[in-house]
Amino acid sequence: MKPNPNSRLARTVPQFLLTHKTPVTVLRASEGEWVKGKWVPGTVQSVVVEANVQPLKGSELTALPESDRTKESIKVYSVETLKTLEEVSQEEADIVVWEGKKFRAIKAMTYKMGVLDHTKTICVRFPETPQDQAAYPSP
């Protein structure tokens, strides 16, 4: 951990000592590519991230798009920034595996003020159709 010279506390990465953290598996797809006129999706890699996972509050649920409000949802606090869907490049969002269920990262809010830099990511339950399971196999 590199200390930030502008920080009065001389640290920028939160240790999550009061709230605790746990290892969380993140499924991350690499960028796909066009091969001979056909789209070939990227491979899926499993990454372990130290995070604090919590349920969303009622007020946070109402801020979600209407189609996601009835889905199970969590918020993930971590030092690493989780990827959300990139509309231009069509890069897939990260999938967080929590308690055996898969959640898609839909909104990432990064806080970088020089003290306790972290990212809060909102994730909603991933549909578990056979096509989804083939695209993101279990770790």
Side-chain angles (χ1 to χ4, degrees):
M1 167 176 71
K2 281 187 166 182
N4 182 340
N6 299 325
S7 172
R8 293 186 329 177
L9 299 176
R11 66 175 170 228
T12 62
V13 179
Q15 298 296 310
F16 296 106
L17 296 175
L18 297 175
T19 58
H20 302 290
K21 60 185 174 186
T22 186
V24 175
T25 302
V26 175
L27 304 177
R28 180 169 289 164
S30 63
E31 230 177 290
E33 61 183 341
W34 290 97
V35 178
K36 297 183 181 180
K38 292 188 179 184
W39 178 254
V40 177
T43 59
V44 177
Q45 299 174 342
S46 179
V47 179
V48 176
V49 173
E50 293 286 324
N52 178 285
V53 181
Q54 300 175 17
L56 263 64
K57 296 183 211 173
S59 60
E60 293 171 315
L61 282 172
T62 58
L64 291 177
E66 194 169 338
S67 61
D68 291 331
R69 289 182 196 162
T70 59
K71 297 176 184 172
E72 186 177 355
S73 53
I74 58 174
K75 53 186 168 184
V76 179
Y77 292 94
S78 65
V79 175
E80 294 84 3
T81 301
L82 300 182
K83 292 183 348 184
T84 57
L85 177 65
E86 189 63 42
E87 295 173 351
V88 176
S89 67
Q90 292 298 304
E91 203 172 333
E92 289 291 325
D94 285 344
I95 303 297
V96 176
V97 180
W98 179 247
E99 295 184 343
K101 300 173 188 170
K102 294 178 183 173
F103 295 82
R104 182 189 315 265
I106 63 166
K107 175 78 174 162
M109 295 155 278
T110 302
Y111 300 93
K112 291 198 182 233
M113 295 298 293
V115 178
L116 303 179
D117 297 341
H118 67 283
T119 299
K120 173 183 172 182
T121 307
I122 305 295
C123 304
V124 295
R125 180 86 182 270
F126 195 69
E128 295 187 8
T129 64
Q131 294 85 2
D132 297 325
Q133 294 300 319
Y136 289 91
S138 295

